[in-house]
């Protein structure tokens, strides 16, 4: 059974999903590929997974690298799960291009090459947004491209991680 909780962030409400052992989902309200916040009954439970995730989010939104991960269990195809694992390898405050991510995926799969578009599709379907840092993937030319939570949020998150100052929030438009 999946349990849901909500978190109020500077970027709007976030829906958390857990099987009570691991975090299985994290979406901004209105994010592409996300369940609706209004259609999900929220759990009253303060499970260790939700407490750990809330602690992670509190530290993150203070402009700090939390330095740990709550237990994660994203569900997807083998390819998508590989891409999501590669996303976890992008350090806090750094970015990676879709093409570079495709090259890493190809190397892990012992293939000569991989389509950046295929990798982009897997990145876009990341069910644990933010903690699995899909916002750190940018275009090869350095421009911001694609983010299921909206480009305004992506820009805000990258500015937060740059360490300069915590940017003012919102209003954020959902896709």
């Amino acid at each position: 059974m999946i349990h849901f909780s909500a978190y109020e962030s500077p970027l709007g409400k976030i829906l958390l999903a857990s099987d009570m052992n691991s975090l299985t989902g994290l979406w901004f309200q209105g994010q592409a590929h996300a369940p609706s916040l209004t259609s999900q009954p929220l759990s009253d439970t303060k499970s260790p997974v939700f407490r750990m995730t809330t602690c992670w989010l509190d530290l993150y939104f203070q402009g700090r690298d939390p330095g740990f991960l709550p237990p994660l269990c994203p569900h997807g195809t083998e390819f998508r799960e590989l891409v999501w694992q590669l996303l976890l390898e992008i350090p806090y405050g750094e970015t990676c291009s879709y093409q570079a991510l495709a090259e890493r995926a190809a190397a892990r799969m012992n293939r000569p090459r991989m389509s950046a578009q295929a990798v982009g599709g897997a990145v876009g379907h990341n069910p644990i947004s933010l903690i699995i840092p899909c916002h750190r993937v940018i275009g090869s030319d350095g421009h911001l491209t694609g983010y299921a939570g909206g480009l305004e949020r992506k820009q805000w998150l990258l500015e937060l991680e740059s360490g300069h100052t915590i940017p003012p929030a919102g209003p954020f438009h959902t896709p």
Side-chain angles (χ1 to χ4, degrees):
M1 178 175 194
I2 299 297
H3 296 266
F4 294 92
S5 185
Y7 178 88
E8 287 292 337
S9 84
L11 303 179
K13 193 172 280 191
I14 293 175
L15 178 66
L16 307 173
S18 169
D19 61 9
M20 301 314 273
N21 294 311
S22 302
L23 190 68
T24 59
L26 186 153
W27 306 272
F28 288 104
Q29 184 170 7
Q31 176 177 325
H33 315 296
S36 167
L37 279 171
T38 58
S39 68
Q40 302 303 327
L42 300 181
S43 300
D44 291 329
T45 180
K46 290 294 182 185
S47 75
V49 172
F50 287 147
R51 282 196 316 268
M52 191 178 295
T53 302
T54 296
C55 179
W56 191 99
L57 291 166
D58 288 346
L59 291 168
Y60 182 85
F61 285 117
Q62 291 170 18
R64 298 167 49 195
D65 180 351
F68 71 93
L69 292 173
L72 305 175
C73 190
H75 297 285
T77 65
E78 185 177 339
F79 174 71
R80 285 181 178 178
E81 289 181 9
L82 167 69
V83 171
W84 302 334
Q85 183 59 47
L86 291 171
L87 291 173
L88 286 168
E89 297 173 12
I90 304 170
Y92 179 92
E94 295 185 24
T95 59
C96 177
S97 72
Y98 288 94
Q99 184 58 48
L101 201 58
E103 290 167 5
R104 290 179 191 164
R108 293 270 173 94
M109 297 173 72
N110 294 315
R111 298 176 84 181
R113 65 183 176 281
M114 174 64 57
S115 160
Q117 289 80 10
V119 167
V123 169
H125 284 85
N126 169 17
I128 305 178
S129 187
L130 192 57
I131 294 177
I132 298 178
C134 50
H135 62 281
R136 296 182 188 151
V137 185
I138 60 174
S140 294
D141 60 2
H143 285 91
L144 299 187
T145 60
Y147 184 59
L151 287 179
E152 293 167 323
R153 282 191 179 116
K154 183 173 189 165
Q155 178 71 43
W156 192 96
L157 295 167
L158 293 174
E159 288 177 15
L160 176 70
E161 290 186 17
S162 72
H164 298 290
T165 59
I166 296 177
F172 292 92
H173 304 286
T174 55

